[in-house]
Amino acid sequence: GQQLNQSPQSMFIQEGEDVSMNCTSSSIFNTWLWYKQDPGEGPVLLIALYKAGELTSNGRLTAQFGITRKDSFLNISASIPSDVGIYFCAGRSTGANSKLTFGKGITLSVRP
Amino acid sequence: DAGVTQSPTHLIKTRGQQVTLRCSPKSGHDTVSWYQQALGQGPQFIFQYYEEEERQRGNFPDRFSGHQFPNYSSELNVNALLLGDSALYLCASSGVGLREQYFGPGTRLTVT
């Protein structure tokens, strides 16, 4: 089945630093999404991308939909302690509202 | 405006038992998707309900079944529980004209 690859499993950065994480797939996706999950909570949608090459920002977050439609990246600028959490990429290959395929997630730690 | 709600928050069951989890979608949403998230993994799609019918299904055995009610709320039933069914079960809702899924906080199921 389809799989999304996220690596490394964990990232450790200093407060104020920028961090970039990417997600790759062996299959084409029509939509790429980035979610953040805090302990004991459900994933929260950060950014959605709908077109190859699209670059979208949400505050300090910027994400891009790869031209090949097989990858996406998320950049967090000027990190703060509340950025700590697990970041998941998700892709959708068919129509709106259809199932999402998730990566395994990257755990981000921010040192003050 | 309440978001997606799920009950119960936590549940402990014994191998072989049956369990029912509940989800109320966000106001205005009519589609409910269920995901299973094992520890350290990304969510895996179980199935999706729309207009009280199962519209899509992931790679899960028939022990996993569901239902959607006229008020759009949904139940996930798991029969003959196995130790491997221990996970966080997430419900996500979406609706006509809404491209994205919004997740609830999840139900933590432990099978002993």
Side-chain angles (χ1 to χ4, degrees), chain B:
Chain B
D1 177 23
V4 180
T5 60
Q6 292 187 244
S7 64
T9 306
H10 295 89
L11 203 51
I12 299 175
K13 289 287 189 178
T14 303
R15 219 170 8 171
Q17 286 189 316
Q18 178 263 344
V19 69
T20 297
L21 310 181
R22 296 176 176 81
C23 171
S24 291
K26 193 173 161 60
S27 178
H29 289 189
D30 59 6
T31 302
V32 173
S33 301
W34 286 92
Y35 292 80
Q36 180 195 64
Q37 186 177 21
L39 205 59
Q41 303 293 318
Q44 296 285 318
F45 176 76
I46 302 174
F47 43 52
Q48 183 182 81
Y49 276 84
Y50 171 69
E51 293 189 336
E52 301 179 49
E53 289 191 0
E54 183 181 291
R55 185 161 71 172
Q56 276 190 295
R57 189 177 183 93
N59 189 24
F60 278 80
D62 292 344
R63 298 186 297 109
F64 289 77
S65 64
H67 189 77
Q68 186 179 34
F69 299 94
N71 67 351
Y72 308 123
S73 66
S74 177
E75 288 181 348
L76 164 65
N77 301 293
V78 187
N79 294 323
L81 285 166
L82 304 174
L83 296 179
D85 294 332
S86 295
L88 180 68
Y89 287 85
L90 295 163
C91 167
S93 75
S94 55
V96 174
L98 299 169
R99 286 191 278 191
E100 297 324 322
Q101 298 177 20
Y102 295 85
F103 285 83
T107 293
R108 172 71 63 188
L109 172 65
T110 302
V111 182
T112 62

Side-chain angles (χ1 to χ4, degrees), chain A residues 9 31 33 35 37 40-45 48-50 86 88 92 94-105, chain B residues 31 33 35 37 40-45 48 55-56 58 88 90 94-106:
Chain A
Q9 193 171 355
T31 300
L33 306 164
Y35 285 86
Q37 186 174 30
E41 303 289 331
V44 174
L45 181 64
L49 302 155
Y50 302 109
I86 305 175
F88 290 97
R92 184 168 61 224
T94 52
N97 290 329
S98 62
K99 71 170 188 177
L100 299 177
T101 299
F102 282 81
K104 289 188 175 182
Chain B
T31 302
S33 301
Y35 292 80
Q37 186 177 21
Q41 303 293 318
Q44 296 285 318
F45 176 76
Q48 183 182 81
R55 185 161 71 172
Q56 276 190 295
L88 180 68
L90 295 163
S94 55
V96 174
L98 299 169
R99 286 191 278 191
E100 297 324 322
Q101 298 177 20
Y102 295 85
F103 285 83

Side-chain angles (χ1 to χ4, degrees), chain A residues 67-104:
Chain A
I67 286 292
T68 65
R69 295 200 282 157
K70 291 184 177 182
D71 64 332
S72 175
F73 80 77
L74 174 71
N75 187 74
I76 304 172
S77 63
S79 60
I80 59 178
S82 63
D83 290 333
V84 165
I86 305 175
Y87 290 80
F88 290 97
C89 62
R92 184 168 61 224
S93 58
T94 52
N97 290 329
S98 62
K99 71 170 188 177
L100 299 177
T101 299
F102 282 81
K104 289 188 175 182

Side-chain angles (χ1 to χ4, degrees), chain A residues 53-66:
Chain A
E54 180 181 355
L55 185 71
T56 296
S57 293
N58 177 10
R60 295 179 295 106
L61 308 179
T62 301
Q64 184 157 29
F65 190 143

